[in-house]
């Protein structure tokens, strides 16, 4: 696998991971829980910048970005 393909795969895996974490946090927000989930300091850029930005962008822009990256 080329380094570009590896970087694309890594980008996709990380973005999916942090978007899924944010979605699970949103779904579980109203559910009763005995313990608050641990959130480490890793992925701060993804959680504070990428996820909110991704949620605000319209689908057409997301789709253009994915086509530009050939994902």
């Amino acid at each position: 696998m080329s380094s570009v393909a590896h970087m694309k795969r890594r980008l996709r895996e990380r973005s999916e991971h942090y978007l899924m974490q944010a979605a699970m946090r949103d779904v579980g927000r109203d559910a009763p829980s005995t313990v608050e989930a641990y959130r480490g300091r890793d992925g701060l850029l993804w959680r504070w910048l990428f996820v909110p930005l991704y949620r605000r962008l319209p689908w057409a822009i997301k789709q253009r970005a994915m086509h530009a990256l050939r994902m």
Side-chain angles (χ1 to χ4, degrees):
M1 179 183 311
S2 71
S3 64
V4 174
H6 179 71
M7 287 174 37
K8 286 183 193 179
R9 176 173 286 187
R10 180 112 169 109
L11 174 67
R12 184 174 186 148
E13 288 172 354
R14 290 182 65 87
S15 61
E16 287 176 350
H17 173 76
Y18 287 106
L19 287 168
M20 182 178 60
Q21 280 186 346
M24 288 189 305
R25 199 169 41 254
D26 291 346
V27 169
R29 184 169 288 135
D30 296 330
S33 177
T34 57
V35 177
E36 182 155 343
Y38 171 75
R39 286 177 46 182
R41 295 187 55 95
D42 58 329
L44 288 177
L45 177 71
W46 289 91
R47 288 195 316 252
W48 289 354
L49 182 68
F50 175 76
V51 172
L53 180 64
Y54 185 87
R55 288 180 169 180
R56 285 180 179 83
L57 290 176
W59 175 246
I61 294 174
K62 295 174 194 175
Q63 195 172 24
R64 269 190 264 147
M66 287 186 278
H67 283 297
L69 292 172
R70 296 185 179 162
M71 294 179 125

